[in-house]
Amino acid sequence: MTRSVSFYVLLFFTVLFWILYDWNIRGLAAAYGYGVTPYLLPLFYAGGTYLLYGLLLIVLVTSGAPFLDRGSLFTLQRTGRLPWCIGQMLYIFLANLLFQGIMILVQILTLIPHITPSTKWGSVLYTVANMPELLSGYSGFGAYNQTVILGMTAPEALAKEVILCTLLGSVIGAAVFLVNGLLRRGIGAIIAAAGALLTGYTTDVGVSLGWSLDEKLPFNWVNLTYYVNGKLNFGTNVAWLCGMFLFLAVAACVCVKKGWIRTTS
């Protein structure tokens, strides 16, 4: 990952979005003398503009699939096409898991020195959940979802968010691998990004027509609000995402084995 320019672009926007997101709550914490607990990730993805930002970052993680370099030809000679493709799928999964770790780490760094370790949401997050108007006196754009804070414990919300984001990112990465490999490099990432951008628009259209589309759109499955209010089931969606990833991974391996996907740079 560190050899790719896109990784540093990803890192830059991750830091930027977190600074913008927690700017107001850092001001509130400084004013009241309390630290913020490191559980903002589930709130970052709990709808609104930052959900879109988070989805675009997830797309960027694997936007370059299939991952090819000057050594790909020699790797293929040693491993064969099928093991190479399995390695690519494993990389997609691990890259998404690592990215969620980076999100948590950057969140912690941007909260310093206004951070406190805890296994609970903490007084600051509970306060803004019950009295969001307090944030109006501080500059910043972060919103701290009341439904998630009051409906789940902090460790549970963080664990579920990491699982959902990792699996959704893996599904997106496998789909990008297929589209980029079968058509042209970059097309898969463009389609995935367009899907993320259109999710909010499609939801608004559905509401205007009397349809409930929110929970039916996979891009929204990382929003824990739907699990708290009972519209979605966590276990069911994890199973769906695992099944989608495995299906796309098998399809990718078949296409690579058949020689339909370019495997050298």
Side-chain angles (χ1 to χ4, degrees):
M1 291 180 71
T2 56
R3 296 177 182 177
S4 171
V5 174
S6 64
F7 172 76
Y8 296 100
V9 174
L10 175 69
L11 194 59
F12 169 79
F13 280 109
T14 300
V15 173
L16 175 64
F17 291 152
W18 272 117
I19 290 174
L20 294 174
Y21 181 78
D22 59 28
W23 190 277
N24 54 4
I25 205 166
R26 281 188 286 121
L28 180 70
Y32 284 86
Y34 290 98
V36 183
T37 53
Y39 298 106
L40 298 184
L41 186 70
L43 309 177
F44 189 95
Y45 285 104
T49 304
Y50 283 93
L51 170 61
L52 172 60
Y53 291 162
L55 291 172
L56 292 176
L57 290 175
I58 288 174
V59 171
L60 189 58
V61 172
T62 51
S63 61
F67 305 101
L68 307 173
D69 55 32
R70 286 175 293 180
S72 297
L73 179 62
F74 303 103
T75 303
L76 280 165
Q77 289 177 345
R78 293 194 302 269
T79 65
R81 287 178 175 271
L82 187 58
W84 176 84
C85 185
I86 293 172
Q88 294 269 311
M89 294 299 110
L90 181 60
Y91 176 88
I92 287 171
F93 174 78
L94 293 177
N96 278 283
L97 181 60
L98 175 62
F99 174 64
Q100 294 311 312
I102 291 172
M103 287 282 281
I104 294 171
L105 178 60
V106 172
Q107 165 223 225
I108 291 171
L109 292 176
T110 56
L111 284 173
I112 293 173
H114 310 295
I115 187 169
T116 184
S118 176
T119 57
K120 298 181 179 180
W121 289 109
S123 56
V124 174
L125 290 176
Y126 269 124
T127 299
V128 297
N130 289 287
M131 293 184 291
E133 64 273 8
L134 284 177
L135 289 171
S136 61
Y138 302 90
S139 59
F141 307 98
Y144 307 91
N145 190 281
Q146 181 186 50
T147 302
V148 175
I149 292 173
L150 299 180
M152 287 186 180
T153 64
E156 176 193 10
L158 181 62
K160 287 184 174 180
E161 193 64 64
V162 169
I163 292 169
L164 289 168
C165 288
T166 299
L167 290 176
L168 178 64
S170 299
V171 170
I172 292 171
V176 168
F177 179 97
L178 270 169
V179 176
N180 282 354
L182 291 172
L183 299 178
R184 187 177 179 182
R185 197 173 186 84
I187 294 180
I190 292 171
I191 293 173
L197 288 168
L198 289 173
T199 293
Y201 174 75
T202 306
T203 300
D204 293 338
V205 171
V207 169
S208 67
L209 295 175
W211 303 337
S212 179
L213 291 177
D214 283 15
E215 68 275 12
K216 296 179 177 64
L217 301 171
F219 282 110
N220 277 332
W221 290 359
V222 297
N223 186 345
L224 295 184
T225 305
Y226 300 118
Y227 301 93
V228 176
N229 61 26
K231 288 187 176 182
L232 292 175
N233 180 273
F234 177 75
T236 300
N237 274 17
V238 166
W240 269 106
L241 289 170
C242 288
M244 291 162 68
F245 176 61
L246 289 174
F247 173 80
L248 290 168
V250 170
C253 288
V254 170
C255 290
V256 168
K257 188 71 174 176
K258 294 286 188 180
W260 298 335
I261 290 179
R262 186 165 60 89
T263 52
T264 56
S265 60

